[in-house]
Amino acid sequence: MEKAFVDHLVDLMQAVGPVSPRRMFGGHGIFLDGLMFALVADGTLFLKADAESVPAFTRQGLEAFTYRRRGKTYRMSYFQAPEVCLEDADEMALWGNKAYAAALRAAAA
């Protein structure tokens, strides 16, 4: 089931560029030009965020990706994608480009 969801997301994200998925972390990472800018975990899409883009996510009440390991909770710099992205290619392009820009900034740092 998750593979079908990931395939759907990859199709929607083609407006961002020639993205490709890779299995990782028990889910999938979504990559463009060698940079991971999105991840799918437990059937949810998360997009890369940084200081510049986090406010766009938090204004919509979207949560950061977290996971537990050895009894401790870790928060990653990925936020849940807005629901509208899952069915609207234009919205996916807008948010996907924000996420890819955040990945580029992180890689440059």
Side-chain angles (χ1 to χ4, degrees), residues 3-30:
K3 181 173 179 348
F5 181 56
V6 170
D7 290 344
H8 171 70
L9 295 174
V10 167
D11 287 344
L12 280 174
M13 289 181 174
Q14 291 306 303
V16 178
V19 303
S20 60
R22 290 188 206 153
R23 286 201 50 75
M24 57 191 330
F25 309 127
H28 290 81
I30 299 178

Side-chain angles (χ1 to χ4, degrees), residues 25-47:
F25 309 127
H28 290 81
I30 299 178
F31 292 79
L32 176 60
D33 295 332
L35 295 176
M36 188 168 118
F37 72 99
L39 68 91
V40 178
D42 299 321
T44 301
L45 172 64
F46 295 88
L47 299 170

